[in-house]
Amino acid sequence: MDHPTYASPSTGTGIDPAPVAGLSGEVLDWRFKALPADAWGLTAEEYLATKPSLSGFGTPLLTLDAGALDHNLRTMAAWCAEAGVLLAPHGKTTMAPALWQSQLAAGAHGITLANLPQLRVARAFGVDRLMLANTLLDPAGLAWLARELTADPGFAFVSWVDSPESARLMDRALRAAGAGRPVEVLVELGGPGGRTGARDTRTAVETAEAVRAAPSLRLAGVAGYEGALAHDASGPALATVREYLRRLAALHRLLADRYETPEPVVTAGGSAYFDTVAEELAPLAQEFPGTRAVVRAGAYLVHDDGFYQGISPLSRGAGRTPLRSAMHGWARVVSRPEPGLALLDAGKRDLPFDEGLPRPQLVRGPDGPAGAAGTVTALNDQHAFLRDGGEAASLGAVLRLGLSHPCTAFDKWTLIPVVDDADRPEPRVTALVRTFF
């Protein structure tokens, strides 16, 4: 039986809608810290039918904005179509099958993931096109993968490999598991001081030959991650990224006649430099017909008010329409122990902090939102230190916070309310997003 290659056009929805829809029937209870107690005992669908307002939720809280999510979906889909690249967004950002479904419905080619547990979540929800942006060497995990590929003829999968020995280890484990379908793999090229990936072209070519010699593997392209080599949008950082991408393109040219699929993949592109990725890799599709250039940006859907607001190509002028932050934190002033200091009831267990601290945006009050002042200078596990918040940060006041880095926001919440408009005086909760970390 013929099986789809990772790069071949999809013939389905990309995800099984039934288990995603089934999440609306999950009974809500104390496990979900975002929810008020009056939701306990109801299903998600039943609770949303009561048209709850945000003021009924306690703090701390993380919310998503429905309008911003829709805007970002459409903006990124249009940009990729214009740039001539496919999008396989990194699902680890949200680990939310309902959001994956919206990304696939908006035209995403597939979903990218980072490890075996994430793959298992995706397969539980029927995602049928997955890229593992990593090398899978766990024999038990490879045995599970072999069973998935055998059981589902429509499942398209590709993994990475960065050394001849890792190719041999994968092959040994897959053959021991009785794999019935070969696993497509991409040779990963790295860079000095970066993450994984072959550090030079010779090792990358030797890895490709090891893949070709492995009965259970198929050489399907090249891959890399430029985000490990730079962390800002300065001239030197962008030059480093471009030089690396040109090395990746050169590796693709070198291996072009060795691929074991008619539609090889060349992939790079986190959420910071996907414009440069498209400039350097998209032309390969014209040079080598059948080549598919794939970017893997994951943070675009939620965006932020911090790191990605400053570094995203769509904030730096690569597109006509910028992305919008779709996530906000909400925290209450619970102490004013000394002049100029207020303590909020949200900390490291609730909000992201690795790429910048939360920023006060507004104070929610009975007369509508008002401007917020001050600076969050530190987070403890369950508290934020707000300096110079002024009288608006009175005891009991609820502040909306701008956040930085969605990847470390979602993992703190198993259920996230979606509001119709976070700028309204009284936002309504229109959906509940379930995550699986």
Side-chain angles (χ1 to χ4, degrees), residues 37-48:
D38 60 11
W40 297 357
L42 301 177
T43 66
E45 183 177 27
E46 290 168 340
Y47 179 60
L48 292 172

Side-chain angles (χ1 to χ4, degrees), residues 304-337:
D304 68 11
D305 284 306
F307 177 70
Y308 285 113
Q309 182 188 53
I311 202 171
S312 168
L314 299 185
S315 298
R316 295 188 279 107
R320 290 180 292 275
T321 305
L323 300 171
R324 292 163 46 190
S325 178
M327 68 173 179
H328 299 97
W330 303 82
R332 192 179 309 268
V333 178
V334 294
S335 177
R336 293 186 60 127

Side-chain angles (χ1 to χ4, degrees), residues 234-252:
S234 65
L238 294 175
T240 296
V241 167
R242 192 174 297 277
E243 190 277 333
Y244 166 74
L245 292 169
R246 288 176 176 173
R247 289 179 54 225
L248 186 63
L251 178 62
H252 179 70

Side-chain angles (χ1 to χ4, degrees), residues 184 187 217 225 303 321 359 392:
E184 291 190 315
V187 173
L217 304 178
Y225 176 52
H303 199 50
T321 305
R359 302 173 182 176

Side-chain angles (χ1 to χ4, degrees), residues 24 56 66 83 85 99 141 180 182 188-189 227 246 364 390 394 404 432:
S24 66
V85 295
L99 295 182
E188 181 189 1
L189 182 69
R246 288 176 176 173
R364 192 176 72 204
S394 60
S404 180
L432 298 169

Side-chain angles (χ1 to χ4, degrees), residues 6 85-88 109 131 265-269 277 292-296:
Y6 175 81
V85 295
L86 299 175
L87 174 64
H109 180 71
M131 178 187 297
V265 169
V266 54
T267 178
V277 171
R292 302 290 189 262
V294 180
V295 298
R296 307 185 307 275

Side-chain angles (χ1 to χ4, degrees), residues 188-240:
E188 181 189 1
L189 182 69
R195 206 164 58 188
T196 53
R199 291 302 196 252
D200 55 71
T201 299
R202 185 182 71 176
T203 303
V205 172
E206 290 173 351
T207 302
E209 291 304 324
V211 170
R212 285 167 54 86
S216 67
L217 304 178
R218 291 290 182 270
L219 183 63
V222 296
Y225 176 52
E226 75 293 339
L229 306 176
H231 202 67
D232 57 51
S234 65
L238 294 175
T240 296

